[in-house]
Amino acid sequence: MLSAEEIAKTAVAASSVLRPVSNEARVSALKRIYSTLIANKASILEANKLDLENAEKNNIAGPLIKRLDLSKSDKFDAMCQGVLDVAELPDPIGKVTFASKLDDGLDLYRITCPIGVLLVIFESRPEVIANITALAIKSGNAVILKGGKESLKTFTEVSKLIREALSETEIPSGAVQLIESRQDVADLLKQDQYIDLVVPRGSNELVRNIKENTKIPVLGHADGLCSAYINGDADVDMAVRIVLDSKTNYVAACNAIEGLLIQKGSAMVKILPAIAKALLEAGVTLKVTSEIAEALKTAGVSDDKKIVPAEDKDFETEFLSLVIAITAVDDVDAAIRHINAHSSKHTDVIVTSSKDTAERFMSGVDSAGVYWNASTRFADGFRYGFGTEVGISTSKIHARGPVGLEGLTCYQYQLRGTGQVAGDYMGAGGKKEFKHEKIDL
Amino acid sequence: MLSAEEIAKTAVAASSVLRPVSNEARVSALKRIYSTLIANKASILEANKLDLENAEKNNIAGPLIKRLDLSKSDKFDAMCQGVLDVAELPDPIGKVTFASKLDDGLDLYRITCPIGVLLVIFESRPEVIANITALAIKSGNAVILKGGKESLKTFTEVSKLIREALSETEIPSGAVQLIESRQDVADLLKQDQYIDLVVPRGSNELVRNIKENTKIPVLGHADGLCSAYINGDADVDMAVRIVLDSKTNYVAACNAIEGLLIQKGSAMVKILPAIAKALLEAGVTLKVTSEIAEALKTAGVSDDKKIVPAEDKDFETEFLSLVIAITAVDDVDAAIRHINAHSSKHTDVIVTSSKDTAERFMSGVDSAGVYWNASTRFADGFRYGFGTEVGISTSKIHARGPVGLEGLTCYQYQLRGTGQVAGDYMGAGGKKEFKHEKIDL
C-alpha cells in the first residue's frame, strides 16, 4: 500500500504529464472512460450489490440505502452520460484572459491552466466518482479521490475501470487515484507540498473538520447561513413567494434561508403577517424576537406550538429544517450590518421595489451571492448555467459562490520575447521604456 | 490598547462601511491623505529623525540606515506622489466579469468587490506605509498594518496623519490601523474569522514563518527559485545575454535565476562555454555537475576558485548572490521535469529558436511565469504594466505571479430578479427552463 506521500507524489508526476495534454485528448480519454463504464455495467452493479448487502448488514437507514443503489431507474446510465456531458463543456484551459505588448517583440499573455493536484473528498452516492473524475480530467488536474465508505466496493470497481481506460490514453493512470481509509485522508491533508486544493463535498461537519486540519486551500462552504431581508416597500405577494421558496423548496440545501429580517414600520403590519401565515401553513416553525411576536399577535397570527421565542444563537444556526429565525431591523443599513455580522457569506436576498435600496444592499452585503427579488435557491452552478458544479465556495479568495470548471483552473503568465533583457529598460539600469499596449484578442 | 480580536473587529466594521464607497470618494480620500502628508512634512521628518537616531544607537548597518532616511533626495515627495499615482489607477471594484440572462427579468452578474480585511506585514522602509494604505483604500479593503520596528516612530506619525485625514472623508479611520509589537502579529494571525488575507512583504524567512503560522490565506512567495533552460538550438548571444541579465541584473531579487539547465549535445560545446565565461567575468561562482565540469574543461574554460562542484541541494537553494547551479539535461521534457521538481513555481525561461519546443516548455512548466527568450527579471508588476505591485505570488490559487490591485479583489454574484422562485423551474419542482443567454456588456 502506498503512503500518503507516495500517493501525493504519484499525483504530482501524473499532473506534470496531464498539464500540457490537449482538450481533444482529454475529451477522448473521457469518452474512453464512458465506453469502459458502459461495457462493464455488470461488474459495477455486482460491486454495488456487495455494498448494498453490507449496508443492510450494518442496519443503514432505508433512504441512505436507496441512494447507494446504482441499479435503480436510470442511475447507471445517467452516471455514464454525466461523463460525456462534462467532456462536451467548453475547454477551461488555455484561455487568454489578459494580453499586453510590453515592447516590440515582447508580448505578455495571461493564460488559464490546471491547478495541479486535487484532493476530493465526497459522500457515498456511488455515481459521484464518475462526475468528479470527469471534472478533474476535463480541467487537466490530477485527482486523489476519497469517497464515503458505504460505497467502497463500487468506488473500487469504478476507479479500477477508470484507470484501465486511462492506460490506453495520453493521460497516465496516476491522474486518478482512489484512497480508502480515514487515516489516509488525515495523512494526505498534511501533504501541502504536493496537493494544491482540497474539495470536500459532503456534510458541513466534514467541511469544517477538513478546514481545521489542513494548510492546503479548501474549496467549499462549512455553513450555509442565508437570509432574506424584506424592505418596507416590498410587494407583499412577491415577498411571500420568495421567502417561502427560499425556506421550503429544499430545506436541507445550503442555499435555503435560515433567517428573515423585516423592516420596522409598515412591513410589520402589511407583509410580516402574510409571510408568517404562509410559512406556518408550510409547516415552518418561526423563532421570533419579542418585537416580531408582538406584531404577529396584533395581526392576529397565532400558533402556540410553531411561533416560539428566538435566542441570539438562532441567528447563527443553520437549521436545515422547517425552522426560521425572524427579527425586525430599522432599515436596509441595519439589515446589511446584521447579515455581515451573522451570515456565512453565502447568499442573501433583499425584496424591495426600490432600485436604490437594492443597489445599497447588493454593494453592502459581503456575501458570494447578493440577490434582489429572487429566491436564494438560485445559488447553484446548474442554475447559473455553468453546466456542472464543483461546489459552492464561501471563501473570499480564488472562487466564490457556485463553482464551475473555472474554479479548478488558475493561470500562468507567458512572456514571449525575442532576446530582451531587463537591464536595457528603465528601472533596471537601462533607458528603454515599456509600451504596455493592449493586445486585441 | 486594543486586543488582536478588537483590532480585527474594528477592521471588519470599517470594511463594512468602506465596501460600498464609490471610486470617486476613495480617490478623494487618497487626495486628502496626500495633502495631509504634504502639509505635515515637518512632523513626519521629525519622527523619522528619532528613528534614525535610534538606529545609530543600536549600531544598525549604514546601508539600512540610508534606507530608513526619509529626508534624503526626493524620497518624501515620491512617497506622497505614490498615493496620487495609486488613486489615478483604474477602479478595480465593480467591474462586471460575467453576465448571463437566466430567464426573462432574471439577470446574473459577476462583479468585482473588495476582499474585506487585509493584514499587511512589511519591512522598515518608511515610505511603504503610504503605498500600502493607498492600495488598500483604492481596492476598498480595510487594512491592518505592521511595519518593521526600525521605522516605528515614522509609521506611527504617518498612520496618525492618515487616520486624521480619513476622519474628514466617507471612509472610517478604522479602515487603517497600525499595530506595533510582534505579539500583536502572532495574535492577529489567529483571527481567521475576521481577517481575509495576509500580505507579507519582506524576507523569505518572514513569509515562510507567516505561512506556517496562520490559517488565513497568504499572498506572497516564500522562495524565488527561478531557472533558465538553454535548448540546443538557442542563439548563443541571446542565451548569454538572457542568462547574464537573469542572474546578475539584481541578484537579491526573487525573479533572479538560481539554476541553469543546458541541453546535452551541441549546446554543451557551443553555448555553455560562452555563458560560463560571461558569468565568470561578472564575478559569478558556478556550481556545476561533473558533466558540466567536464564540458567546461574540454572547452578550456577554467577557474579553480569560481567553478566548484554542485551538490543536489544547490538546485533547491535560493542563493540571492553571485552564485548559480548548472546541470545538463537531455531535452526540453527533462528540463520541464527538473524545473517542476525543484523550482518554487515563480518564473522560468527557455531560450530556443523553436516555437514548438517553446510551446512545450510553456505548457509543461508549472510556474507563475513561463518565458520564452526573455529575462526572468521581467517578472514584476510595474514591468507587466499593472501600475503598482502588491507582491509576487507563488500560490496556485487566487492570484499568481506579480499581483496588482486586482489581487486585492474578489467577486460577488448579483442576481437581479422580478420575483422568480426556484420552485417554478426544472430541477426544483417546476417546469420552466433556464435561458442562459449571454448578456453583452
Side-chain angles (χ1 to χ4, degrees), chain B residues 141-434:
Chain B
N141 291 289
V143 65
I144 303 168
L145 301 161
K146 167 70 172 71
K149 63 179 186 308
E150 293 81 3
S151 291
L152 182 58
K153 300 274 183 204
T154 317
F155 290 149
T156 307
E157 181 64 19
V158 171
S159 76
K160 193 194 82 183
L161 292 166
I162 287 171
R163 290 163 64 92
E164 272 174 31
L166 287 179
S167 69
E168 293 164 59
T169 73
E170 280 185 43
I171 296 168
S173 300
V176 180
Q177 296 179 87
L178 179 74
I179 59 162
E180 301 183 5
S181 75
R182 278 191 182 275
Q183 185 52 41
D184 277 334
V185 172
D187 289 346
L188 279 164
L189 290 176
K190 290 176 198 146
Q191 307 299 320
D192 53 307
Q193 196 187 342
Y194 304 112
I195 299 172
D196 299 302
L197 188 67
V198 183
V199 185
R201 301 175 32 141
S203 71
N204 299 358
E205 198 194 333
L206 170 81
V207 180
R208 201 172 302 116
N209 189 32
I210 285 169
K211 285 195 168 192
E212 276 165 17
N213 286 291
T214 189
K215 278 197 240 172
I216 308 168
V218 177
L219 194 155
H221 62 95
D223 292 291
L225 275 167
C226 306
S227 298
Y229 163 64
I230 313 300
N231 203 57
D233 61 2
D235 177 271
V236 181
D237 288 347
M238 188 189 286
V240 172
R241 275 166 53 78
I242 286 175
V243 170
L244 203 64
D245 186 81
S246 298
K247 179 66 238 180
T248 67
N249 181 255
Y250 181 33
V251 290
C254 61
N255 57 15
I257 58 169
E258 312 293 352
L260 174 62
L261 315 177
I262 310 280
Q263 186 177 14
K264 291 178 189 173
S266 63
M268 299 284 276
V269 182
K270 284 186 322 178
I271 312 179
L272 170 65
I275 292 176
K277 276 185 216 164
L279 288 171
L280 289 168
E281 269 169 38
V284 179
T285 295
L286 318 182
K287 296 200 162 197
V288 300
T289 58
S290 55
E291 211 165 355
I292 297 288
E294 198 61 37
L296 289 177
K297 203 173 155 193
T298 307
V301 182
S302 66
D303 186 321
D304 288 351
K305 285 190 180 158
K306 292 206 166 295
I307 302 180
V308 300
E311 295 171 56
D312 281 355
K313 70 168 169 47
D314 289 326
F315 293 96
E316 293 188 346
T317 301
E318 193 174 2
F319 301 112
L320 296 172
S321 61
L322 288 171
V323 179
I324 194 166
I326 313 181
T327 188
V329 292
D330 282 333
D331 56 13
V332 65
D333 289 329
I336 292 168
R337 280 196 303 273
H338 178 100
I339 291 170
N340 285 346
H342 296 91
S343 90
S344 66
K345 307 190 192 299
H346 189 298
T347 303
D348 300 280
V349 57
I350 182 172
V351 185
T352 178
S353 56
S354 155
K355 185 170 186 302
D356 285 351
T357 308
E359 298 293 350
R360 193 163 177 94
F361 180 87
M362 291 191 286
S363 69
V365 168
D366 178 22
S367 296
V370 282
Y371 287 15
W372 174 25
N373 292 348
S375 167
T376 57
R377 289 275 297 134
F378 286 112
D380 172 284
F382 294 93
R383 288 168 201 160
Y384 277 14
F386 298 164
T388 186
E389 182 179 281
V390 175
I392 294 186
S393 166
T394 53
S395 170
K396 303 280 288 286
I397 65 161
H398 192 61
R400 216 177 174 200
V403 180
L405 274 176
E406 210 180 305
L408 299 182
T409 70
C410 56
Y411 57 76
Q412 293 180 293
Y413 286 97
Q414 290 188 352
L415 183 62
R416 294 159 179 263
T418 44
Q420 287 85 350
V421 296
D424 287 345
Y425 291 83
M426 282 174 68
K431 297 205 165 158
K432 286 176 99 171
E433 286 190 49
F434 289 103

Side-chain angles (χ1 to χ4, degrees), chain A residues 289-330:
Chain A
T289 59
S290 55
E291 210 164 355
I292 296 289
E294 198 61 39
L296 289 176
K297 201 173 156 191
T298 307
V301 181
S302 66
D303 186 321
D304 288 351
K305 284 190 181 159
K306 292 206 166 294
I307 302 180
V308 299
E311 296 170 55
D312 281 354
K313 69 168 169 49
D314 288 326
F315 294 96
E316 295 188 346
T317 300
E318 193 175 2
F319 301 112
L320 296 172
S321 62
L322 288 171
V323 179
I324 194 166
I326 313 180
T327 187
V329 293
D330 282 334

